[in-house]
Amino acid sequence: MNERAYDVVIIGSGAGGGTVAQELSPLVRDGLRVLVLEQGPRLNDDEFTGREGEMAPALYEDGGGFLTADGTMMLALGRAYGGSTVVYTGTSLPPPERVIERWDVPGLEYPDLLRRSAKHAAADNVHYLEPELINENNRLFVEGCAKAGWQAGQFPVNVKGCRGSSLCNLGCPNAAKQGTNRVQLPAAERAGVEVVTRARALVIEGRSVRVRVAEQMPGEKGLPSEWAPGDYRVHARSIVLAAGAIGSPALLLRSGCGRALPRLGERFTCHPAHVLVAEHARPITNDVGHPKSYYLDRAEEESFVLETCMYFPFTTAKNLTGFGADHSRFMHAFPRLQMILVLACDRAVPGNRVTVDRAGKPVVHYRFTPEVIEALVRATRASARIFFAAGALRVHAPSADPPLLERSEMGRIDERIAARHFKPGKISLSAAHLMGGCGMGRTPADSVTDAWGRVHGIPWLRVADASLFPDALHINPYLTIMALADRVAERIRSEAGELFGVAAA
Amino acid sequence: MRPSSSQPVLDPVRPVFRAIAATVVPEAARLGEAEWSELEGSVEKAVAERPPKMRRQLRLLIRTLELLPVFRYGRRFSRLDAAARRRFLEKIQDSPILLLRRGFWGLRTLVLLGYYTRAAAAGEIGYAADPRGWDAWRERRETHGQEAQP
């Protein structure tokens, strides 16, 4: 077993880990050693080809096909230098005040989160895309919303020099998206923070992490790990978990923390989603331009959010219900397709949680509550109205049987799209906003950490990712994760004397 | 992608897999041997990292789908005509048994993965995303003599 020693070990390099790495880099000037472990690879810029069959296996856990325990929902987890910030669309909204108030975490104040979100939004060039860069897939959504009586909002996005490849979810081929792989991690590395890729944290044993560094296989994308392949014991004076809402609770469970932390793995939420597709009479610009420029926030009123989206051939195909000639006909209409992603604003409920199996592999248990099913049905009906208002000829709705609604059926939307047709195992459900599992709160009886990500009873162990959310956020989580990670790092810096024996930075 | 020491999953069930695949994507019936190899290669790659138990389950599912029609149609799946194959798989897709429904959904997903990640499929359906984004789109528009308007 190889031995290494650091002052701080950060596990994960996404929105949480990347932010902590950059925010702790001043400690390096004080002589402390900071290490980031990332289980995915570090890719060269020219390896981001935008080809679905190549990029999904390289950048996502299980190639994007990580399934919940009953096999009815696919979860998308990024696995690369930069974590999920490599594969998301760059949408950057601050946390909603009503959600943070409802979380009711002592010591977590909305104005503080808002201030930190703004700081990171500025650093990541978050702005509204210029009108001439908005494609028809997005413009039709805005028009359809307006005609249906709603006002769409524009997403601020964290891009710089976006060329409109539409390939954000496969990793930007133009290095335009300002994920942690482009901003925070390079800055941290320049300041002396070390990042080791292809390094999987197996278990935490006291103040050390057992790590397995994987060998790069022939033909595999990315650079070899910075360390030689093999097993390592990495000693640390402080450990920061930022492995995401599945990885962080799973690592703590593997490390035997479940007994002292009875809420570990609980309160998992994920904004379950459908992809809806509609066909227009003429080709529209859809596979060019930023794919997710607008949204409709109905979270407070109807527990759903709609977002524009545009996916790739296989992702589109798997999200269409059914098979055969009807399915193929829709696929062959690709240049005429408009897409909307519908997200249900779920709530933490007993039973929806992360556990580990006997081999230590994470298992996500998720049951669709009647409230979530109703929210998805309402969202699907709203989307159908928007599609038709925008001029679509037909709409593909998973919660309809048969799933195709013709324009002549516009008056029957509520009848045709109904909860009785919501059949997990038949229809495609997915989620990319993975939250909870190490929720913040007051004591071990109701949570895993305090408002600063300190694990109850283990002062040297911190959490800094979406697993901290005590309930769903009801909006894209990127900036909120960064704001929480910023707090975690600040507290570590202020406790540097106690943790590392140096003056507070 | 880690290599797997296991044998290809589809080897013992290839004709049935192809019959199912051509029912899921009717255009697959027109694929040549090289294109089938490409499709099946993507499927094998996708399942190579999955636990051996899951690979066994996939093979078992394909065999089950081959045999189940005997009870309803008196013939194996691969001996049915295209319409009967479609009707049978529609029943499976709507089965009250989650295990069966979910199993077919997974198999369907693998077929779609194999078919639609091929470069030829993108051309076939008119998908033209390009890393150069708007620049490539404008070039295409100019080539076709149309005005460039997002």
Side-chain angles (χ1 to χ4, degrees):
Chain A
M1 179 88 72
N2 301 285
E3 303 275 338
R4 297 281 190 278
Y6 288 82
D7 294 290
V8 184
V9 172
I10 302 161
I11 300 168
S13 70
T19 301
V20 173
Q22 185 183 26
E23 294 296 322
L24 290 187
S25 58
L27 294 178
V28 177
R29 285 200 300 268
D30 298 329
L32 299 187
R33 298 187 71 199
V34 179
L35 172 72
V36 178
L37 298 169
E38 166 55 52
Q39 73 174 61
R42 186 194 298 251
L43 268 62
N44 287 311
D45 286 354
D46 62 3
E47 291 181 294
F48 289 95
T49 61
R51 288 195 279 271
E52 191 176 16
E54 287 177 20
M55 299 315 299
L59 298 176
Y60 287 92
E61 183 75 21
D62 286 348
F66 185 97
L67 289 167
T68 49
D70 72 357
T72 58
M73 181 163 56
M74 279 190 172
L75 307 178
L77 302 74
R79 186 185 61 174
Y81 174 85
S84 289
T85 71
V86 178
V87 290
Y88 86 128
T89 43
T91 52
S92 306
L93 289 169
E97 183 171 8
R98 64 183 168 76
V99 172
I100 304 307
E101 297 301 328
R102 201 188 61 231
W103 281 1
D104 190 26
V105 177
L108 185 70
E109 304 295 339
Y110 173 71
D112 178 62
L113 275 188
L114 194 63
R115 179 179 61 78
R116 293 175 198 265
S117 298
K119 167 186 151 187
H120 288 284
D124 293 352
N125 199 43
V126 172
H127 67 290
Y128 294 110
L129 278 182
E130 297 76 7
E132 62 271 22
L133 295 178
I134 305 296
N135 66 14
E136 283 179 294
N137 182 50
N138 280 281
R139 291 210 308 260
L140 287 168
F141 177 77
V142 177
E143 282 172 36
C145 282
K147 286 181 183 165
W150 291 303
Q151 187 176 4
Q154 187 173 0
F155 271 121
V157 290
N158 68 349
V159 297
K160 197 181 273 183
C162 175
R163 298 183 70 187
S165 74
S166 81
L167 299 165
C168 314
N169 292 129
L170 299 176
C172 180
N174 302 307
K177 183 168 51 191
Q178 302 299 291
T180 58
N181 57 325
R182 299 292 172 197
V183 182
Q184 288 77 15
L185 294 168
E189 288 188 282
R190 285 193 297 273
V193 172
E194 293 178 51
V195 180
V196 176
T197 54
R198 302 185 190 276
R200 184 184 290 269
L202 303 175
V203 67
I204 297 171
E205 298 168 324
R207 290 200 198 197
S208 70
V209 189
R210 197 137 54 80
V211 178
R212 182 159 297 155
V213 173
E215 188 178 355
Q216 182 183 24
M217 305 312 291
E220 198 174 35
K221 277 184 184 288
L223 300 169
S225 176
E226 294 73 6
W227 288 359
D231 284 1
Y232 292 78
R233 187 184 308 281
V234 183
H235 302 275
R237 293 205 269 182
S238 179
I239 295 170
V240 182
L241 287 181
I246 296 176
S248 290
L251 178 54
L252 287 178
L253 285 164
R254 282 200 299 274
S255 306
C257 297
R259 187 181 293 269
L261 299 165
R263 301 294 164 225
L264 187 55
E266 294 185 356
R267 308 190 75 81
F268 176 83
T269 55
C270 61
H271 298 161
H274 277 319
V275 177
L276 303 189
V277 183
E279 182 185 348
H280 285 266
R282 61 177 179 84
I284 62 170
T285 43
N286 58 13
D287 56 13
V288 59
H290 186 269
K292 194 181 288 295
S293 310
Y294 284 89
Y295 67 102
L296 176 65
D297 184 354
R298 300 290 296 164
E300 196 167 0
E301 302 84 356
E302 300 189 84
S303 297
F304 68 79
V305 174
L306 307 183
E307 302 182 348
T308 51
C309 65
M310 180 50 58
Y311 293 106
F312 327 103
F314 161 57
T315 307
T316 303
K318 80 176 171 186
N319 277 294
L320 294 174
T321 304
F323 60 88
D326 285 347
H327 185 281
S328 285
R329 207 170 298 127
F330 234 79
M331 288 302 294
H332 281 76
F334 211 101
R336 301 191 299 279
L337 297 184
Q338 183 190 351
M339 293 191 198
I340 298 177
L341 181 71
V342 311
L343 300 108
C345 299
D346 56 345
R347 299 291 300 269
V349 294
N352 286 355
R353 61 192 307 234
V354 177
T355 61
V356 289
D357 64 15
R358 274 183 296 184
K361 193 172 165 22
V363 180
V364 178
H365 305 267
Y366 194 90
R367 179 176 58 89
F368 299 98
T369 63
E371 292 77 15
V372 163
I373 294 169
E374 284 299 336
L376 284 169
V377 168
R378 279 193 299 275
T380 304
R381 288 171 176 164
S383 301
R385 289 193 175 90
I386 292 165
F387 281 135
F388 284 131
L393 298 177
R394 56 188 63 86
V395 171
H396 181 280
S399 299
D401 191 10
L404 277 188
L405 272 79
E406 296 293 336
R407 195 169 176 81
S408 58
E409 297 178 284
M410 268 169 71
R412 297 175 56 214
I413 285 175
D414 288 351
E415 176 196 335
R416 290 276 279 108
I417 299 170
R420 66 180 180 280
H421 301 309
F422 183 92
K423 209 166 190 180
K426 175 184 178 184
I427 60 178
S428 287
L429 289 149
S430 59
H433 300 170
L434 313 179
M435 301 164 278
C438 299
M440 296 174 288
R442 294 169 173 78
T443 69
D446 68 7
S447 56
V448 174
T449 80
D450 67 9
W452 299 92
R454 283 185 294 213
V455 175
H456 296 306
I458 314 177
W460 48 267
L461 185 59
R462 313 289 165 110
V463 179
D465 58 26
S467 71
L468 288 171
F469 295 9
D471 208 337
L473 186 66
H474 297 178
I475 203 72
N476 310 56
Y478 161 76
L479 272 185
T480 307
I481 299 170
M482 296 187 108
L484 289 172
D486 190 272
R487 287 165 55 87
V488 173
E490 181 184 289
R491 189 49 64 103
I492 290 174
R493 288 198 311 267
S494 70
E495 293 173 2
E498 197 179 319
L499 287 166
F500 316 115
V502 299
Chain B
M1 181 91 33
R2 310 272 134 210
S4 169
S5 56
S6 63
Q7 291 300 306
V9 173
L10 300 179
D11 266 1
V13 290
R14 196 171 307 280
V16 188
F17 172 79
R18 289 187 180 185
I20 294 168
T23 309
V24 170
V25 184
E27 291 80 3
R30 297 197 293 266
L31 295 180
E33 191 52 40
E35 293 157 312
W36 273 114
S37 291
E38 188 183 358
L39 185 158
E40 288 162 357
S42 298
V43 173
E44 293 288 359
K45 214 162 135 184
V47 297
E49 273 198 328
R50 299 306 178 100
K53 185 180 165 194
M54 196 195 133
R55 293 198 294 270
R56 282 197 301 274
Q57 285 170 339
L58 175 62
R59 205 178 282 163
L60 178 64
L61 174 71
I62 294 171
R63 285 184 169 135
T64 305
L65 293 176
E66 167 74 339
L67 293 176
L68 272 181
V70 172
F71 301 104
R72 188 178 177 90
Y73 300 98
R75 291 178 180 192
R76 294 174 172 224
F77 182 85
S78 52
R79 304 275 175 87
L80 297 176
D81 64 28
R85 286 178 183 179
R86 181 178 48 75
R87 282 197 302 276
F88 169 71
L89 290 183
E90 279 170 355
K91 291 276 181 209
I92 297 293
Q93 178 179 251
D94 269 317
S95 167
I97 304 165
L98 174 63
L99 192 66
L100 210 48
R101 219 160 61 218
R102 190 188 72 191
F104 175 65
W105 184 86
L107 177 56
R108 182 198 82 119
T109 300
L110 286 170
V111 170
L112 296 172
L113 167 92
Y115 190 85
Y116 284 109
T117 54
R118 295 175 312 119
E124 201 180 284
I125 63 172
Y127 174 77
D130 187 302
R132 295 172 302 136
W134 289 112
D135 294 338
W137 180 82
R138 283 189 196 93
E139 278 174 26
R140 284 200 304 275
R141 296 281 287 192
E142 281 160 18
T143 307
H144 291 91
Q146 292 166 293
E147 192 185 346
Q149 285 280 326

